[in-house]
């Protein structure tokens, strides 16, 4: 039988977890879910770092930093990820060598790990205390390096002659300057190459770019930076700069064995002292019920500018300075594209056949599930499963617009069939 002290201690830990977890859920999740196979990865990372990790103790929250994460994207296919010269749909994350791979994975891990950065008592440096399992990240990256694209199943129908015709159409309409496998010498290592990943504006949904314009209070990370990699953060700054600073500092602490270690916990921490000692202040009253999804206000917080920018220069005065523009997304090499439905960066088109339909005539909704459409190459839109409504070109900033990428839409029906047959071979 647990003692009253043990029960009291457990309640305090649950209360502390509930406070942070509920603040995150209520402040960031949209009223309508993203649906299977999608999430707003950028919004989640920005909200976790700026909203739950850099505020004052004991809860470390800055609730006004958290915003509705309503720019869902589909999961990019894992195979060949290490070979792309840039990654993330908006192409703002450098890729192509082992350090960049570690940065890519660290940024994602910070969305789930315990992270308690603070300025050291002596000197100008910060302690980026975290619970990331770096050995695990590096093992996973080695496995991804071995992963190749899936092959079209032998038992499924395939017309080699038709595919050969489609290859010519692909080279004419899809490959040059966009989805071609163009090897370039980058920063991977001395002898290896990466694949060029051009950023293109092809008229698709623009919502994700809005999140790159989020400005937040930097809290415990004010002044944090890494020379040449991530500029020093101001009291209020772009969330994307905060992410770069957090990632760079976390990796530097790891490589130099400087940072404090945190327990893995549950990914939201307990907001209690690290030694596990509980202050004798908790109430023994029942845990408060979570209110109905009281979502973050649609009004911009005080730290938010009046409107999202049309372009944003990230990491000025560093080696990674570059300017991003609204509507531009990465054009990846299409190996294994037949297995990567639904399509476009926000998963708004169910099949490759539908992608060859003029945007205005594409489906306004479709079912999402595991059943595959061999003929149209993608999701079976008639299967049982959650419904995904999408918007047309009149609402390009909805996060769910099916608009854009009209390449191939003017081909004849026979040419479209040939192109689809070739895409099965990639």
């Amino acid at each position: 039988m647990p003692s009253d002290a043990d029960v009291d201690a457990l309640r305090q830990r649950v209360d502390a977890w509930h406070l942070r977890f509920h603040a995150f859920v209520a402040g960031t999740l949209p009223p309508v879910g993203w649906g299977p196979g999608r999430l707003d990865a950028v919004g989640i990372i920005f909200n976790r770092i700026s909203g739950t990790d850099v505020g004052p103790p004991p809860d470390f929250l800055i609730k006004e930093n958290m915003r509705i994460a309503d720019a869902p994207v589909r999961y990019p296919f894992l195979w060949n990820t290490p070979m792309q010269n840039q990654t993330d749909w908006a192409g703002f994350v450098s890729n192509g060598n082992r350090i960049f791979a570690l940065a890519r994975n660290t940024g994602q891990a910070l969305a789930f790990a315990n992270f308690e950065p603070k300025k050291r008592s002596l000197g100008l440096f910060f302690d980026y205390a975290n619970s990331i399992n770096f050995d695990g990240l590096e093992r996973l990256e080695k496995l991804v390096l071995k992963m190749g694209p899936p092959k079209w199943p032998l038992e499924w129908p395939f017309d080699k002659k038709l595919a050969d015709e489609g290859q010519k159409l692909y080279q004419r309409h899809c490959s040059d300057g966009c989805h071609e496998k163009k090897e370039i010498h980058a920063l991977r290592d001395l002898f290896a190459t990466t694949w060029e990943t051009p950023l293109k504006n092809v008229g698709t949904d623009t919502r994700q770019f809005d999140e790159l314009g989020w400005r937040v209070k930097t809290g415990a990370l004010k002044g944090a930076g890494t020379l040449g990699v991530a500029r020093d953060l101001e009291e209020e700054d772009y969330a994307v700069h905060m992410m770069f600073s957090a990632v760079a500092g976390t990796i530097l602490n790891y490589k130099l064995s400087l940072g404090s270690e945190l327990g893995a916990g549950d990914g939201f921490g307990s907001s209690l002292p690290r030694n596990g000692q509980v202050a004798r202040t908790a109430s023994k009253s029942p845990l408060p019920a979570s209110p109905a999804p009281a979502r973050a206000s649609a009004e911009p917080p005080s730290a938010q500018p009046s409107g999202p920018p049309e372009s944003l220069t990230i990491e000025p005065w560093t080696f990674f300075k570059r300017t991003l523009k609204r509507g531009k997304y990465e054009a990846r090499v299409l190996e294994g594209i037949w297995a990567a439905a639904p399509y476009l960066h926000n998963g708004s088109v169910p099949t490759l056949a539908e992608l060859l339909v003029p945007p205005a005539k594409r489906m306004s909704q479709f079912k999402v599930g595991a059943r595959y459409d061999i003929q149209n190459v993608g999701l079976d839109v008639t299967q049982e499963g959650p419904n995904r409504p999408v918007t047309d070109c009149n609402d390009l900033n909805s996060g769910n617009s099916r608009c854009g990428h009209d390449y191939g839409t003017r081909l004849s029906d026979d040419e479209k069939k040939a192109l689809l047959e070739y895409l099965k071979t990639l």
Side-chain angles (χ1 to χ4, degrees), residues 42 144 226 289:
V42 171
V144 173
T226 302

Side-chain angles (χ1 to χ4, degrees), residues 122-133:
L122 296 176
L124 302 176
F125 299 103
F126 283 72
D127 180 355
Y128 298 85
N130 66 86
S131 62
I132 295 175
N133 180 348

Side-chain angles (χ1 to χ4, degrees), residues 124-275:
L124 302 176
F125 299 103
F126 283 72
D127 180 355
Y128 298 85
N130 66 86
S131 62
I132 295 175
N133 180 348
F134 284 100
D135 290 339
L137 289 185
E138 292 180 344
R139 286 198 300 272
L140 288 172
E141 186 66 19
K142 289 178 180 178
L143 292 175
V144 173
L145 279 166
K146 298 177 181 179
M147 182 185 296
K151 301 300 181 183
W152 184 262
L154 293 175
E155 62 271 23
W156 288 2
F158 174 71
D159 188 328
K160 174 69 165 58
K161 182 178 179 181
L162 191 60
D164 289 341
E165 297 175 14
Q167 182 177 13
K168 299 173 185 176
L169 292 166
Y170 179 81
Q171 292 171 342
R172 190 182 314 150
H173 295 279
C174 310
S175 180
D176 291 345
C178 197
H179 295 298
E180 65 182 316
K181 187 193 293 186
K182 182 178 180 181
E183 294 187 350
I184 59 175
H185 289 281
L187 298 173
R188 188 175 180 81
D189 57 41
L190 187 59
F191 302 105
T193 58
T194 58
W195 294 340
E196 187 174 30
T197 314
L199 299 181
K200 299 281 188 177
N201 187 338
V202 296
T204 54
D205 191 282
T206 60
R207 188 68 173 174
Q208 192 192 52
F209 187 84
D210 289 357
E211 295 179 340
L212 299 180
W214 287 2
R215 289 184 63 86
V216 295
K217 298 177 181 178
T218 56
L221 280 175
K222 177 187 175 183
T226 302
L227 183 64
V229 176
R231 66 163 176 79
D232 293 352
L233 293 173
E234 300 174 2
E235 185 172 355
E236 290 187 0
D237 217 317
Y238 288 102
V240 64
H241 290 154
M242 177 182 272
M243 182 194 74
F244 278 124
S245 185
V247 168
T250 298
I251 291 176
L252 188 64
N253 273 206
Y254 163 64
K255 290 295 185 180
L256 300 180
S257 301
L258 294 175
S260 302
E261 293 185 3
L262 294 178
D266 49 49
F268 276 87
S270 65
S271 71
L272 291 174
R274 296 179 194 171
N275 61 12

Side-chain angles (χ1 to χ4, degrees), residues 362-367 381 387-390 402:
R362 291 172 185 162
M363 295 178 179
S364 60
Q365 57 184 354
F366 56 90
K367 298 291 187 179
V381 299
N387 196 51
R388 177 165 299 170
V390 294
R402 65 181 186 266

